């Protein structure tokens, strides 16, 4: 059966056709489009070379979106990964009600981000939401957390962390359960403190999972912008503008598809670098065991 | 913990309870908000305990929706979401299990080429290629259709990658034995591989169902006809109205209904889900 070429291609064909039609060809087309201008009315697209990219370099909103994406990543990646590990360590042990707690921690992950965003908006609502009421209780002046430039990005990032941590926890939980019990017993006999055990045994053993989870967190930091549509729409004054949201605005609100294509290529380039990193991470994981 | 230290245990439990509250409290508030009349939100105080308008609110949302705000009844949107999630989950599993089978068990020309063509797309989730994919779908005339909602999302490599990992852990001897006993590739696939990867298929189904259900940007762009709105995209259209009048009770009722199916799937399949994940991690 190893040489049945026809059959092999038949098995692979559906995946191949779908990917070609909806991924490969469109992405190549985008690369080509990014060197052309946007067709407007009767004026057809013309070849402009690197003009779209030159425009990007001079575009202050693009710069703002890149900086914001970097801040957004710098907050959400370590926070969600760290939090997920802490949560996994807590619910890894056996005690009454642990199943319930696992489900509770995991729940935010399965909720649609849009529904979640509405709940948080309700939370943040000025003069009315829960946070506003808490501030009122301790005598602080009311603030609009999603409505002022200084805090909008952080308000959005908090929702991402809240949502992502539970998903990564599942992977850490799975990794923790593969650590052999004799190691724990041996450490106990040697009089090893829990912290030392974690630092010297657990942490190195779950390193492959940490790599896998962090790469996913990086991709997530560029990908998860659903709640921006509901909470801030990139505002106020582009304070929470993120790269993917900007692509959406340029492409589907201003219909400048050529410029959006160039922006898309930047995002594809970033994710390709991350993707290569992921392959190395996966590779290391194999060699580790 | 190696020794039992009551103070530490108490502290640990306290942290856990605070954690659960942080996670669960927003959801609780959403449920509570959906059971109050609209007037409850005009006083400026958030209700913390359920009200008595649950039947009225949910009845209104299921019956007529908020037609003046461009939101159709919930039942139709829930049906669309269900179709979308099921087609995406089943479609992805079907095409990725067959392609993983071809890549792992056959040696054929351009095998590595096919492998890389599929795996390069790991880096291109639908959000990233949304602009070009939208153009293709529009050119094919698939806007406002179930095909447009689902087919472009079926194409992705993640599931193929997972099945490849699973198949690599299945011992070669099984295939040899099957061949000696005269089983062809198809028979081996149906009677050995599929039963052996049942848990993984189930775990993947849970993840993919949730993935399909939670899709937001794609349905929002693809559907302009109310008949094809999914619930997640519908919420967004309702939420736009909240700026002018506090219909939080209706928005939260829709949000709660959008959250029930994915939670239900996870709770019902929790055991098999976690088991499947642990096995692929090995």
């Amino acid at each position: 059966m190893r040489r049945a070429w026809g059959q092999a291609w038949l098995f692979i064909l559906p995946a191949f056709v779908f990917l070609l039609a909806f991924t490969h060809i469109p992405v190549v087309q985008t690369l080509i489009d990014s060197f052309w201008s946007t067709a407007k009315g009767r004026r057809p697209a013309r070849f402009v070379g690197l003009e779209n990219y030159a425009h990007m370099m001079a575009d202050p909103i693009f710069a703002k979106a890149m900086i914001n994406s970097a801040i957004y990543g710098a907050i959400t990646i370590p926070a969600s990964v760290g939090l997920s590990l802490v949560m996994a360590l807590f619910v890894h042990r056996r005690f009454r009600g642990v199943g319930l707690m696992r489900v509770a921690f995991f729940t935010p992950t399965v909720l649609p981000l849009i529904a979640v965003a509405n709940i948080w908006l309700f939370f943040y609502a000025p003069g009315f939401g829960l946070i506003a009421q808490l501030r009122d209780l301790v005598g602080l002046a009311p603030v609009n957390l999603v409505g002022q430039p200084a805090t909008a990005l952080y308000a959005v990032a908090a929702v991402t962390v809240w949502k992502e941590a539970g998903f990564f926890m599942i992977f850490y939980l799975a990794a923790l359960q593969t650590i052999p019990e004799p190691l724990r017993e041996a450490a106990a006999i040697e009089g090893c403190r829990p912290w030392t055990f974690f630092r010297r045994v657990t942490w190195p053993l779950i390193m492959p999972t940490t790599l896998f989870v962090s790469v996913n967190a990086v991709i997530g930091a560029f990908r998860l912008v659903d709640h921006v549509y509901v909470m801030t729409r990139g505002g106020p004054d582009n304070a929470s503008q993120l790269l993917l949201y900007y692509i959406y605005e340029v492409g589907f609100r201003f219909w400048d598809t050529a410029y959006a294509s160039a922006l898309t290529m930047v995002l594809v380039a970033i994710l390709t670098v991350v993707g290569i990193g992921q392959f190395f991470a996966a590779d290391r994981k194999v060699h580790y065991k | 913990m190696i020794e039992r230290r009551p103070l530490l245990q108490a502290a640990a439990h306290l942290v856990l309870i605070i954690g659960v509250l942080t996670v669960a409290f927003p959801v609780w508030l959403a449920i509570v908000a959906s059971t109050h009349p609209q007037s409850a939100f005009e006083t400026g105080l958030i209700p913390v305990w359920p009200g008595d308008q649950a039947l009225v609110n949910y009845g209104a949302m299921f019956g007529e929706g908020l037609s003046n705000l461009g939101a159709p009844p919930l039942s139709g949107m829930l049906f669309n979401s269900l179709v979308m999630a099921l087609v995406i989950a089943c479609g992805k599993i079907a095409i990725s299990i067959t392609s993983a089978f071809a890549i792992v068990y056959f040696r054929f020309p351009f095998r590595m080429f096919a492998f890389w063509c599929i795996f390069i797309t790991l880096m291109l989730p639908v959000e990233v290629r949304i602009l070009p994919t939208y153009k293709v779908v529009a050119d094919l005339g698939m806007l406002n259709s179930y095909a447009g909602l689902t087919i472009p999302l079926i194409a992705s490599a993640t599931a193929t990658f997972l099945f490849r990992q699973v198949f690599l852990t299945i011992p070669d001897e099984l295939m040899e034995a099957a061949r000696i006993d005269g089983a062809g590739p198809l028979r081996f696939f149906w009677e050995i591989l599929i039963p052996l990867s049942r848990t993984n298929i189930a775990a993947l189904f849970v993840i993919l169902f949730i993935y399909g259900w939670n899709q937001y940007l794609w349905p929002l762009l693809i559907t302009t006809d109310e008949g094809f709105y999914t619930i997640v995209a519908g919420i967004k259209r309702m939420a736009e109205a909240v700026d002018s009048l506090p219909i939080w009770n209706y928005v939260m009722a829709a949000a709660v209904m959008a959250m029930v199916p994915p939670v239900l799937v996870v709770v019902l399949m929790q055991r098999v889900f976690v088991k499947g994940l642990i096995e692929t991690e090995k």
Side-chain angles (χ1 to χ4, degrees):
Chain A
M1 76 194 258
R2 284 186 177 252
R3 304 227 166 265
W5 298 359
Q7 261 178 345
W9 272 103
L10 223 56
F11 275 117
I12 220 167
L13 201 65
F16 216 72
V17 169
F18 281 164
L19 286 173
L20 214 60
F22 295 106
T23 308
H24 293 109
I25 295 175
V27 168
V28 172
Q29 187 61 47
T30 309
L31 180 64
I32 297 170
D33 286 352
S34 74
F35 298 119
W36 292 69
S37 70
T38 305
K40 282 198 187 92
R42 242 177 265 164
R43 193 149 43 94
R46 64 193 165 80
F47 185 77
V48 295
L50 291 172
E51 205 173 276
N52 286 321
Y53 292 93
H55 174 53
M56 190 191 296
M57 287 302 123
D59 179 2
I61 304 179
F62 171 72
K64 183 83 184 162
M66 287 301 278
I67 295 170
N68 281 344
S69 291
I71 298 175
Y72 183 70
I75 298 169
T76 58
I77 298 163
S80 55
V81 174
L83 200 62
S84 66
L85 178 58
V86 172
M87 277 158 41
L89 285 170
F90 265 115
V91 296
H92 168 53
R93 295 166 300 147
R94 292 189 175 278
F95 54 87
R96 266 177 54 198
V98 70
L100 197 70
M101 287 200 168
R102 284 180 191 171
V103 172
F105 285 158
F106 185 61
T107 305
T109 297
V110 302
L111 306 179
L113 196 47
I114 279 301
V116 165
N118 275 298
I119 298 176
W120 278 80
L121 202 59
F122 183 58
F123 238 46
Y124 285 143
F128 160 80
L130 190 80
I131 291 179
Q133 287 185 29
L134 281 179
R135 288 179 67 96
D136 193 43
L137 210 65
V138 292
L140 286 166
V143 289
N144 186 351
L145 287 172
V146 285
Q148 60 180 22
T151 51
L153 185 61
Y154 304 101
V156 171
V159 179
T160 313
V161 175
W162 181 78
K163 184 178 164 70
E164 286 236 280
F167 184 57
F168 299 150
M169 179 196 77
I170 292 287
F171 292 97
Y172 271 128
L173 209 52
L176 287 174
Q177 282 172 357
T178 60
I179 295 178
E181 200 51 37
L183 279 180
R184 222 172 275 279
E185 285 160 15
I189 291 168
E190 301 281 342
C192 173
R193 296 184 140 267
W195 170 242
T196 317
F197 182 77
F198 173 77
R199 206 161 45 92
R200 293 295 174 94
V201 181
T202 313
W203 180 245
L205 279 176
I206 60 173
M207 207 54 208
T209 307
T210 305
L211 281 170
F212 170 80
V213 161
S214 338
V215 174
N216 273 300
V218 174
I219 295 179
F222 284 99
R223 205 169 61 94
L224 289 175
V225 296
D226 287 3
H227 51 322
V228 176
Y229 295 80
V230 168
M231 294 176 70
T232 66
R233 287 175 213 139
D237 193 20
N238 294 314
S240 58
Q241 186 71 265
L242 297 169
L243 185 54
L244 185 56
Y245 188 78
Y246 190 45
I247 292 176
Y248 167 83
E249 275 207 325
V250 171
F252 293 103
R253 198 162 290 163
F254 311 141
W255 292 104
D256 186 353
T257 46
Y259 188 40
S261 299
L263 290 169
T264 302
M265 289 324 293
V266 172
L267 186 54
V268 168
I270 295 173
L271 286 180
T272 308
V273 172
V274 174
I276 291 167
Q278 188 171 28
F279 276 114
F280 278 111
D283 203 38
R284 174 152 176 209
K285 185 172 165 174
V286 172
H287 292 307
Y288 218 96
K289 300 238 162 151
Chain B
M1 295 304 134
I2 294 147
E3 310 153 50
R4 295 213 158 265
R5 279 171 293 186
L7 207 68
L8 208 68
Q9 291 247 308
H13 276 107
L14 193 70
V15 171
L16 270 176
I17 289 164
I18 291 172
V20 169
L21 283 181
T22 317
V23 169
F25 194 58
V27 180
W28 168 252
L29 277 189
I31 297 171
V32 167
S34 70
T35 61
H36 281 274
Q38 195 180 314
S39 57
F41 305 95
E42 281 155 8
T43 61
L45 273 170
I46 279 192
V48 182
W49 298 109
D52 51 4
Q53 295 291 305
L55 280 178
V56 180
N57 288 342
Y58 285 94
M61 290 304 287
F62 271 100
E64 61 251 39
L66 300 172
S67 35
N68 51 331
L69 301 171
L74 284 186
S75 39
M77 294 199 289
L78 283 170
F79 177 77
N80 289 340
S81 285
L82 191 69
V83 170
M84 187 175 170
L86 283 178
V87 171
I88 288 176
C90 297
K92 264 191 194 241
I93 288 175
I95 71 161
S96 52
I97 203 168
T98 51
S99 57
F101 174 57
I103 283 174
V104 175
Y105 287 98
F106 289 89
R107 299 286 169 272
F108 55 94
F110 303 116
R111 178 170 161 276
M112 284 322 279
F113 171 75
F115 180 85
W116 281 106
C117 274
I118 292 177
F119 285 94
I120 196 97
T121 63
L122 267 179
M123 280 87 80
L124 303 169
V126 70
E127 292 90 343
V128 174
R129 56 186 162 89
I130 197 148
L131 181 81
T133 311
Y134 176 83
K135 277 194 212 155
V136 171
V137 170
D139 290 344
L140 291 175
M142 297 202 304
L143 297 179
N144 285 316
S145 72
Y146 287 125
L149 273 176
T150 53
I151 293 176
L153 300 186
I154 288 177
S156 94
T158 328
T160 309
F161 189 70
L162 277 172
F163 279 122
R164 174 179 170 265
Q165 302 302 91
V166 173
F167 291 166
L168 287 179
T169 63
I170 293 174
D172 273 348
E173 286 81 1
L174 269 180
M175 194 195 68
E176 313 263 314
R179 192 162 45 180
I180 290 166
D181 285 345
L186 262 183
R187 185 117 193 247
F188 174 68
F189 180 68
W190 276 114
E191 293 189 5
I192 296 173
L193 275 188
I194 298 231
L196 274 179
S197 33
R198 241 185 353 225
T199 353
N200 303 97
I201 293 176
L204 206 58
F205 177 83
V206 175
I207 295 182
L208 293 178
F209 181 89
I210 292 166
Y211 164 85
W213 183 274
N214 289 351
Q215 278 302 320
Y216 159 67
L217 197 48
W218 186 249
L220 197 66
L221 290 175
I222 289 294
T223 58
T224 45
D225 174 355
E226 280 188 7
F228 287 104
Y229 281 6
T230 62
I231 180 129
V232 178
I235 290 177
K236 140 101 184 178
R237 292 184 166 98
M238 270 177 242
E240 278 170 352
V242 170
D243 285 346
S244 46
L245 66 164
I247 45 163
W248 285 110
N249 49 340
Y250 294 129
V251 176
M252 287 303 149
V256 169
M257 286 319 295
M259 295 189 293
V260 167
V263 171
L264 217 59
V265 168
V266 168
V267 169
L268 290 180
M269 298 184 75
Q270 190 205 359
R271 205 154 288 239
V272 63
F273 171 62
V274 174
K275 205 173 149 207
L277 269 181
I278 293 173
E279 281 174 3
T280 38
E281 270 295 289
K282 264 181 193 165

